[in-house]
Amino acid sequence: LINNFIGQAITTATAEACAVAVKSGLSLRKLHEVISAGAVNSGLFQLMVGKMLDGNGDLTGLKFTLVNAMKDLRYYTHFAESLPVSAIVGEAVHQSLVNANLMGFGDKYVASLIEAQEKLNGVDPESVTRFTLQSRRMLREYYKRRQAVQGENGRQANSSVQRIGKSMNVHSTKR
């Protein structure tokens, strides 16, 4: 059960990451290239994404149906509950599998979690094949806003420290 939980956590995270990548404009080939070169690479990732890219959309790399994966994760979460231990990630993975089954993917193999995530998130994999200028602009704007907020928070924190120091009759001295 524990082995199956870890495996399904990897496949669920992989499917979600694919949907986010495609929706943002990042090609799955580029995602595959980056993941394959790093520590996150795994046999399960290659069976899902690598096989899909090499086989023109082939999602049969993992010969285990989503209905069976859902059942195993239900057993795992019930087992964890009986101990009792927290199983927040296990519950999230289980719900992802429940969603895939409810959307009609239950008789398909685990790699079809990618299809389920695309459907759930309104992703059209055919319409986005590379990191677009619009996505780059959105990311640049996000980071600008984030830096501005961090800068403002830093100024506010510094101002608060100065106010507290004054109220305690603490004066900074320059050396």
Side-chain angles (χ1 to χ4, degrees):
L1 289 178
I2 295 169
N3 181 66
N4 287 357
F5 157 65
I6 292 171
Q8 293 311 316
I10 291 167
T11 60
T12 300
T14 297
E16 184 176 303
C18 287
V20 169
V22 171
K23 189 107 181 201
S24 75
L26 180 64
S27 76
L28 289 180
R29 289 213 180 274
K30 188 63 171 173
L31 177 69
H32 182 259
E33 178 185 320
V34 170
I35 299 297
S36 295
V40 179
N41 188 28
S42 71
L44 292 171
F45 178 81
Q46 293 303 325
L47 284 171
M48 286 180 73
V49 181
K51 186 165 177 70
M52 178 183 66
L53 292 173
D54 292 343
N56 290 330
D58 183 359
L59 294 171
T60 62
L62 296 165
K63 305 283 190 210
F64 195 65
T65 64
L66 285 167
V67 72
N68 284 327
M70 180 182 70
K71 172 189 58 76
D72 282 2
L73 260 290
R74 184 178 64 245
Y75 289 159
Y76 170 81
T77 58
H78 288 205
F79 172 63
E81 184 180 296
S82 74
L83 296 175
V85 297
S86 175
I88 295 167
V89 175
E91 292 291 351
V93 171
H94 179 245
Q95 285 306 308
S96 180
L97 293 164
V98 168
N99 286 340
N101 277 273
L102 289 173
M103 290 187 286
F105 295 98
D107 291 334
K108 291 188 170 193
Y109 293 128
V110 168
S112 286
L113 279 169
I114 293 172
E115 290 178 295
Q117 282 290 325
E118 289 170 349
K119 184 175 181 180
L120 180 66
N121 292 293
V123 172
D124 178 10
E126 300 302 319
S127 69
V128 184
T129 58
R130 60 179 167 54
F131 207 39
T132 64
L133 290 174
Q134 180 182 2
S135 297
R136 288 183 187 154
R137 270 190 241 115
M138 287 171 33
L139 279 174
R140 264 197 308 271
E141 186 60 33
Y142 165 78
Y143 283 112
K144 279 182 192 174
R145 278 187 269 136
R146 184 172 158 199
Q147 286 174 335
V149 168
Q150 288 173 339
E152 183 62 31
N153 288 342
R155 284 190 292 279
Q156 288 173 354
N158 192 27
S159 176
S160 296
V161 168
Q162 289 172 354
R163 276 195 309 271
I164 292 167
K166 285 179 184 176
S167 71
M168 298 173 64
N169 286 330
V170 176
H171 303 283
S172 65
T173 57
K174 293 185 180 178
R175 297 182 184 186

